[in-house]
Amino acid sequence: MKTKRWTVDVHDKLSTKDPQIAQAADLLRQNEVVAFPTETVYGLGANAESTEAVMKIYEAKGRPSDNPLIVHIADISQLDRIAGPASEKAKKLMKQFWPGALTLVLPCKPGVLSPRVTAGLETVAVRMPDHPLALALIRSSGLPIAAPSANLSGKPSPTRAEHVEHDLNGRIAGIIDGGATGLGVESTVISCSEDMPVLLRPGGITKEQIEEEIGEVLVDKGLTEKNETPISPGMKYTHYAPSAPLAVTEGSAERIQALVREYQQSGKRVGVLTTEERADIYEADFVKSCGRRDQLETVAASLYDALRSFDEVKVDFIIAEAFPNTGVGHAIMNRLMKAAGGKVIH
Ligand code: AMP
Ligand code: MG
């Protein structure tokens, strides 16, 4: 399949009539899949009401079929058709954080969405993205759009159109290049289908921000305890991983440098994932800095690009510095631990 590519200059007044957006929306209405930027990462969109369309997402990504998709809407008026009733807390969260990096798991209305979107669950995950291009595209299609991250399953999520091209060129109908995404990590997923909201995946909107709005939320045990199965089916899979094995370490720079030497002495080429503050300290085969530790948003924004860069150089092992587990650091650590398959060096 030849993958169409459009480049769109993103600005607040993007219209549904923009010819490139209209063409991409046409493809969505023909049940084809199209990658587009959101404020979190690039999404791979398809008509959420069509099983034919949704199957193409799973095929293109190689995504396990029991991992449900997030449905993206552009207007609150789209919500009623697919999900509800929403609890008072869910409504508060929508009012405060939509459009934005928060996905709400709500009761699913039967008979509208393809059952492949929800992987057979009675709930559906819904988000309204805060990105002018994503909103114009969804509006122009007139459809609810199922969209996971636009990467091959298991790989780091794409934060630039080049990442999408690298993984999916020839496998999807189109890619809209709208430049680099802003936040760089996926949305926060919170279940609002029961009385007490449960955080299923940390992301762009922090637990602290959510609790300020609706009071205490529970955290899925699958996120914090090794032997618990996560509620969110996708959270049990290894994700975001570069080709070489990766381990996270909370050690000092001296400890990390000693580890690098140890691995090198056993004949391995070693990479280190660090931040600007320490990038000049390490002597390793490849040192990659992602953002500044004292501004964790900059780490979130460049984390996936940094993880992908290890595939461009030949290293046998990657040591990643740990980050504080609060605010957006919660999402960063969650992604790093998944990339590491849980491997921590103390
Ligand atoms: P992705 O589309 O790759 O960003 O991942 C979407 C995340 O939302 C995965 O972790 C899914 O398991 C999760 N998710 C989607 N729908 C549901 C649902 N109905 N209940 C719980 N988790 C969900
Ligand atoms: Mg993903």
Side-chain angles (χ1 to χ4, degrees):
M1 169 187 292
K2 174 126 180 63
T3 302
K4 279 210 167 82
R5 199 173 192 281
W6 304 275
T7 303
V8 173
D9 181 20
V10 175
H11 55 81
D12 281 344
K13 294 201 179 63
L14 265 182
S15 136
T16 51
K17 296 200 181 68
D18 176 290
Q20 293 161 309
I21 288 175
Q23 276 177 35
D26 263 347
L27 284 177
L28 290 172
R29 276 192 301 274
Q30 291 161 31
N31 293 338
E32 294 296 338
V33 293
V34 174
F36 60 97
T38 77
E39 83 278 30
T40 59
V41 300
Y42 271 74
L44 184 59
N47 174 5
E49 296 186 4
S50 157
T51 295
E52 179 201 357
V54 169
M55 293 277 286
K56 289 180 184 170
I57 292 180
Y58 284 94
E59 268 161 38
K61 283 184 59 100
R63 183 172 172 110
S65 61
D66 69 342
N67 187 2
L69 306 172
I70 296 172
V71 178
H72 293 70
I73 59 174
D75 292 289
I76 205 75
S77 60
Q78 279 183 288
L79 185 67
D80 242 11
R81 185 173 153 76
I82 59 175
S87 66
E88 286 311 309
K89 283 182 181 170
K91 283 183 191 155
K92 262 191 169 171
L93 291 176
M94 288 174 205
K95 198 156 179 258
Q96 182 66 21
F97 297 112
W98 279 5
L102 183 69
T103 296
L104 300 176
V105 174
L106 300 166
C108 186
K109 294 258 170 89
V112 180
L113 297 172
S114 160
R116 295 300 305 266
V117 167
T118 56
L121 299 173
E122 286 175 1
T123 52
V124 59
V126 188
R127 176 166 107 85
M128 189 189 293
D130 187 15
H131 192 290
L133 196 156
L135 290 171
L137 178 67
I138 299 166
R139 256 180 218 131
S140 177
S141 75
L143 297 165
I145 298 295
S149 50
N151 52 285
L152 285 175
S153 206
K155 287 279 138 203
S157 303
T159 51
R160 290 192 280 118
E162 293 76 21
H163 299 157
V164 182
E165 219 158 52
H166 178 272
D167 280 15
L168 299 176
N169 198 26
R171 299 169 73 96
I172 60 176
I175 302 173
I176 313 179
D177 182 350
T181 58
L183 280 167
V185 288
E186 295 85 345
S187 61
T188 305
V189 180
I190 187 160
S191 169
C192 291
S193 59
E194 310 281 334
D195 278 350
M196 190 68 180
V198 187
L199 181 74
L200 304 184
R201 174 176 79 180
I205 303 285
T206 66
K207 178 166 175 275
E208 294 85 343
Q209 284 175 288
I210 293 171
E211 291 191 322
E212 211 166 286
E213 211 50 41
I214 58 166
E216 194 196 353
V217 300
L218 302 175
V219 176
D220 177 18
K221 281 208 178 79
L223 288 181
T224 49
E225 276 151 53
K226 243 192 160 161
N227 299 321
E228 294 282 338
T229 306
I231 298 173
S232 192
M235 294 301 284
K236 66 176 181 281
Y237 294 106
T238 303
H239 249 106
Y240 322 115
S243 306
L246 177 147
V248 178
T249 177
E250 285 173 355
S252 64
E254 293 72 28
R255 166 80 179 123
I256 291 173
Q257 186 61 57
L259 279 169
V260 170
R261 292 253 182 283
E262 231 173 82
Y263 280 97
Q264 283 177 328
Q265 273 156 17
S266 66
K268 291 198 158 59
R269 287 174 55 83
V270 185
V272 176
L273 178 62
T274 179
T275 57
E276 278 169 37
E277 289 92 335
R278 287 189 187 174
D280 294 334
I281 298 179
Y282 295 114
E283 283 174 32
D285 295 286
F286 181 63
V287 178
K288 182 71 188 176
S289 148
C290 67
R292 290 192 61 87
R293 175 171 288 275
D294 59 4
Q295 292 166 343
L296 285 181
E297 310 75 53
T298 64
V299 176
S302 54
L303 179 68
Y304 290 136
D305 191 53
L307 285 172
R308 279 177 178 264
S309 71
F310 286 95
D311 286 351
E312 312 292 315
V313 292
K314 268 190 75 64
V315 291
D316 305 303
F317 192 66
I318 303 161
I319 300 173
E321 290 179 349
F323 291 89
N325 215 349
T326 56
V328 75
H330 194 191
I332 294 169
M333 275 306 281
N334 171 266
R335 307 308 191 264
L336 270 180
M337 290 300 287
K338 288 223 164 293
K343 189 168 162 58
V344 180
I345 306 178
H346 293 285

